[in-house]
Amino acid sequence: MKPHRITWTLAGLLALLLVGIFGYMWLEDFTLIEALYMSIITLTSVGFGEVRPLSDTGRLFTTGYILLGFSGLAFASHALVGSVVESVWTGGKETKKMQKKIAQLKSHFILCGYGRVGAAAAEHFKANQVDFVIIENSAEHCQHIMEQGHLHIHGDATHEETLRAAGIKSATGLIALLNKDPDNLFVVLSARELNPTLHIISRAEDLSSEHKILRAGADNVISPFASAGIRIAEDLLVATGRQADKEPLISQWVEVQKGSSMAGITIEEVSRQMGARIFGLRRDGQDTIFPEAEISLLQGDQLLVLQDSKEPQTAGESMSPHKVVIVDDNPVILRLYSRLLQKAGFIPLPATNGQEGLALILKEKPAVAVIDFILPLLSGIEICKKIRNQPEYAEVKLLLFTADERAEIKQQALDAGADLVIRKGPESSEIIEAVQLVIKNRHSPTS
């Protein structure tokens, strides 16, 4: 129902009533109460008697007023009923149209919550012509979203049926921006269960909630206030000449993984080698802003790194993110391993068949290649043989994974040049641990 149409209709009825009141007061010398009563019974045609006998002029005015009132009431009824019908019809039609569009989306993003942060994210998605769906529980916010022309669902993002309606099964990423950390935690849990390969970023207000949300399945947790504080401090340094103005900055948490070359060296040395500034240290659940440069890093530490949007120059290969080629014809496994490797600090390079995988290894010369045993066009065994026939690729570590546990299959893979054979099982973390192990052995002096 359009508010302006209702407003104009009610204003017209009020004007019609005022015409009758002033007409009877002027022509028949009625009091205000008498004129109001006479105008109402005339407009509504209830058939009550006149307040007092009317003059001929009064009767002529009443006749015209009846005709005018009948036309005015008919028009008002038509406008009000039409608005209600239009609202119901259009609303239902628009909802079905929007649901159809959402059902056709593939590799889109889901935005849970449309506050100030959500609105900014939606505008950024729109400016970059990215498909996205907003889930919002507030009817008032949904009205604003509709005016902006965004696809949306009016519902609770913590409910699985709402996430399904937003197309979570075919989505690429999800942002949880609800006002309460427990709600965001529940969204992350539900989303991770419905789509294991989904990339999830969540908002967290309390520091104690970050670890819980990460354990629930989020790939990254962001505190808007902490991010804003770092940005403000950075702008102040630039404004006061303590630091030259640079390209836009990107902040991210980097974890010191098991076997990482960062373990045991100081924050100052890591910052120098990475070519980035370290603004925070997270150790045993405790955060330290601007940590001392002399602190030595331990396994499991997390660093809040602020660097230019351009790729930083590193001091040596050991500090650079390692490239890992993943070759598998199953798109779900490919996306899952890519996400886990990226989260572990590697650069995943996916390929969907043997020939594509071989070409990618030859082109990129990765630190590790994770190859499925059975592949289209070229098997994992054939890829290993072709790589090992080229001496310049001797440093590339080859991992074959297979569901076949027979000893002869494992021996066949090792004879072909594989460095490690892994059984394909439900624990995807074994692949990540194997990659970390072979990289550590790759840089070991005794390897």
Side-chain angles (χ1 to χ4, degrees):
M1 189 181 298
K2 298 180 179 180
H4 67 275
R5 182 182 295 182
I6 297 175
T7 301
W8 282 109
T9 300
L10 294 177
L13 290 175
L14 179 60
L16 194 62
L17 183 62
L18 290 175
V19 168
I21 291 172
F22 286 114
Y24 284 117
M25 292 178 66
W26 181 47
L27 296 174
E28 298 296 324
D29 199 26
F30 284 179
T31 65
L32 176 62
I33 299 299
E34 291 174 336
L36 174 63
Y37 174 77
M38 192 67 187
S39 298
I40 290 176
I41 65 172
T42 303
L43 279 177
T44 57
S45 302
V46 296
F48 290 151
E50 299 168 350
V51 174
R52 67 176 81 150
L54 299 175
S55 64
D56 291 340
T57 303
R59 289 191 179 98
L60 288 174
F61 173 78
T62 301
T63 301
Y65 191 56
I66 290 173
L67 295 175
L68 180 64
F70 180 79
S71 301
L73 288 176
F75 176 79
S77 300
H78 173 76
L80 291 174
V81 173
S83 295
V84 173
V85 172
E86 181 183 351
S87 176
V88 174
W89 173 260
T90 304
K93 187 177 180 181
E94 287 297 322
T95 300
K96 290 182 179 179
K97 185 177 179 181
M98 189 173 301
Q99 289 173 345
K100 185 177 180 180
K101 287 183 178 180
I102 293 173
Q104 294 173 344
L105 293 178
K106 301 292 181 184
S107 301
H108 59 290
F109 295 90
I110 299 175
L111 183 59
C112 302
Y114 192 76
R116 288 177 295 178
V117 179
E123 289 303 318
H124 188 71
F125 281 150
K126 184 177 181 180
N128 287 274
Q129 299 180 340
V130 175
D131 292 330
F132 66 97
V133 179
I134 301 171
I135 299 177
E136 175 55 53
N137 206 21
S138 166
E140 182 181 352
H141 287 173
C142 283
Q143 180 63 36
H144 181 70
I145 295 169
M146 187 179 296
E147 293 172 0
Q148 296 298 315
H150 302 322
L151 294 178
H152 71 282
I153 292 175
H154 182 197
D156 190 342
T158 62
H159 294 167
E160 286 192 8
E161 59 268 23
T162 307
L163 294 173
R164 292 180 188 273
I168 192 169
K169 290 288 188 179
S170 58
T172 295
L174 177 143
I175 305 178
L177 296 174
L178 303 184
N179 292 328
K180 298 179 180 178
D181 289 351
D183 290 341
N184 286 321
L185 174 64
F186 203 82
V187 169
V188 171
L189 278 170
S190 301
R192 179 59 69 212
E193 182 178 353
L194 292 171
N195 188 343
T197 65
L198 194 69
H199 192 90
I200 302 174
I201 297 177
S202 175
R203 171 181 180 170
E205 298 297 331
D206 296 329
L207 176 62
S208 59
S209 300
E210 290 189 25
H211 185 61
K212 296 177 183 178
I213 295 176
L214 285 170
R215 291 189 63 183
D219 294 283
N220 197 7
V221 177
I222 296 174
S223 172
F225 298 109
S227 300
I230 292 173
R231 182 69 234 187
I232 291 170
E234 182 67 23
D235 289 344
L236 181 61
L237 291 175
V238 172
T240 56
R242 298 288 297 275
Q243 179 175 297
D245 197 4
K246 296 187 177 182
E247 294 291 325
L249 300 172
I250 298 175
S251 62
Q252 61 177 335
W253 286 99
V254 177
E255 184 173 353
V256 181
Q257 300 284 342
K258 182 179 180 180
S260 171
S261 58
M262 289 191 293
I265 64 177
T266 64
I267 288 179
E268 181 180 22
E269 180 63 16
V270 170
S271 177
R272 185 186 65 80
Q273 294 187 26
M274 293 183 71
R277 282 147 290 168
I278 297 174
F279 275 78
L281 170 66
R282 178 172 296 167
R283 176 177 291 176
D284 298 329
Q286 298 294 323
D287 283 6
T288 303
I289 303 299
F290 300 110
E292 296 292 333
E294 296 78 17
I295 294 177
S296 295
L297 296 177
L298 304 175
Q299 178 185 320
D301 285 349
Q302 289 181 291
L303 302 174
L304 182 59
V305 179
L306 197 67
Q307 59 190 31
D308 297 337
S309 57
K310 295 181 179 180
E311 185 176 352
Q313 298 295 321
T314 58
E317 183 189 8
S318 61
M319 295 302 299
S320 302
H322 293 289
K323 296 179 181 178
V324 179
V325 169
I326 317 157
V327 191
D328 198 301
D329 58 336
N330 187 325
V332 174
I333 291 179
L334 202 61
R335 289 173 61 188
L336 175 60
Y337 287 163
S338 295
R339 184 181 66 83
L340 292 175
L341 285 167
Q342 187 177 36
K343 189 176 180 180
F346 299 105
I347 301 176
L349 304 171
T352 56
N353 61 65
Q355 287 187 356
E356 182 183 343
L358 176 62
L360 192 59
I361 295 170
L362 295 176
K363 176 185 176 183
E364 298 292 341
K365 202 173 184 180
V368 182
V370 181
I371 309 166
D372 193 9
F373 190 85
I374 301 176
L375 291 167
L377 304 180
L378 206 64
S379 71
I381 292 291
E382 291 173 310
I383 293 177
C384 289
K385 289 180 179 179
K386 291 181 179 294
I387 294 296
R388 290 299 177 238
N389 285 334
Q390 303 189 49
E392 61 269 30
Y393 292 91
E395 290 295 317
V396 178
K397 298 295 182 180
L398 303 179
L399 273 64
L400 251 64
F401 59 103
T402 175
D404 195 331
E405 298 184 34
R406 291 179 295 169
E408 55 267 30
I409 294 296
K410 180 177 181 180
Q411 190 58 50
Q412 185 182 355
L414 294 174
D415 292 341
D419 295 279
L420 196 61
V421 180
I422 310 168
R423 184 180 65 86
K424 183 184 289 187
E427 293 295 331
S428 55
S429 60
E430 293 180 1
I431 298 291
I432 310 303
E433 292 173 359
V435 170
Q436 293 171 339
L437 176 63
V438 295
I439 286 181
K440 180 180 179 182
N441 292 337
R442 182 171 181 256
H443 293 289
S444 175
T446 59
S447 61

